[in-house]
Amino acid sequence: RQLGETSLRQLQTSMTALQRNQTELATQLRFQSAGENPAGANEVMVLSTQLRKLEQYARNQAIADTRLRAEETALNDLQNFVVRAKELAMSVADSRQDGSRRFIVKAEVDEIFNAVIGILNQSQNGEFLFGGEQIATPPVTATPPGLGFVTSGATESIRLEVAPNAFVATGHPIT
């Protein structure tokens, strides 16, 4: 009788171990609750936190890359407009230019000015590229014709953490 009870206990222990192994295989988890392996559960929590941080860094890197590329394109466009405006200024610097030529140049300079305002107010995913920390406010507003523009007053760039304690500035302000 004692041999039968011992065999039965061993069989139950083996069945429990088999069931645990089947569960581990099916779920690909070594334990089902923190109580089964407190140290392992703590390690899982630490690793999960690290994984979430790495995923956030990757998202921030992608955002920074996209924004910086858009800023670079906008700055290149601005440079082209500045070059053209200089060319126009030089073309009418000669006092021998007649009024009609100056009027034509003024019209083109006005178009350049409006294009520059448009570039400075470009947005991406609802955030102004050059809005600094004021991403929801247009960075510049044109004033009455011939008087220029005013800025939103933003002074800080947006800093995205792309690795532990490593930041990339995006959303550079106009000022």
Side-chain angles (χ1 to χ4, degrees):
R1 173 179 154 124
Q2 194 174 23
L3 183 60
E5 288 176 4
T6 301
S7 295
L8 185 58
R9 271 194 303 264
Q10 288 175 342
L11 181 60
Q12 287 175 334
T13 302
S14 294
M15 290 296 289
T16 301
L18 178 62
Q19 186 177 20
R20 186 176 59 246
N21 287 338
Q22 285 177 330
T23 302
E24 286 179 17
L25 285 172
T27 63
Q28 296 183 348
L29 300 174
R30 287 193 334 198
F31 53 90
Q32 300 299 310
S33 69
E36 291 177 32
N37 186 346
N42 185 50
E43 186 176 345
V44 166
M45 288 173 49
V46 168
L47 292 174
S48 292
T49 299
Q50 289 175 345
L51 180 60
R52 282 194 303 278
K53 285 181 181 180
L54 290 173
E55 289 169 343
Q56 184 63 52
Y57 294 147
R59 283 191 298 274
N60 287 352
Q61 288 171 355
I63 291 167
D65 183 61
T66 301
R67 286 186 64 98
L68 290 173
R69 286 179 192 274
E71 287 180 24
E72 182 178 21
T73 298
L75 291 173
N76 287 333
D77 291 345
L78 286 173
Q79 183 178 9
N80 293 336
F81 282 123
V82 167
V83 167
R84 180 63 184 147
K86 280 183 178 181
E87 290 171 354
L88 291 170
M90 296 301 288
S91 76
V92 293
D94 182 357
S95 61
R96 294 178 289 175
Q97 295 292 326
D98 67 358
S100 63
R101 172 73 180 134
R102 289 177 187 251
F103 183 76
I104 292 168
V105 168
K106 183 198 179 305
E108 187 173 347
V109 168
D110 287 344
E111 288 176 20
I112 290 172
F113 177 79
N114 290 331
V116 166
I117 295 292
I119 290 170
L120 295 175
N121 284 335
Q122 277 184 354
S123 64
Q124 185 178 62
N125 299 322
E127 298 177 352
F128 289 98
L129 288 179
F130 298 107
E133 77 276 11
Q134 299 177 15
I135 57 174
T137 304
V140 295
T141 304
T143 56
L147 297 179
F149 60 87
V150 294
T151 66
S152 66
T155 58
E156 299 291 324
S157 296
I158 296 169
R159 293 170 24 108
L160 295 173
E161 192 171 14
V162 296
N165 300 314
F167 297 85
V168 171
T170 67
H172 298 90
I174 298 296
T175 54

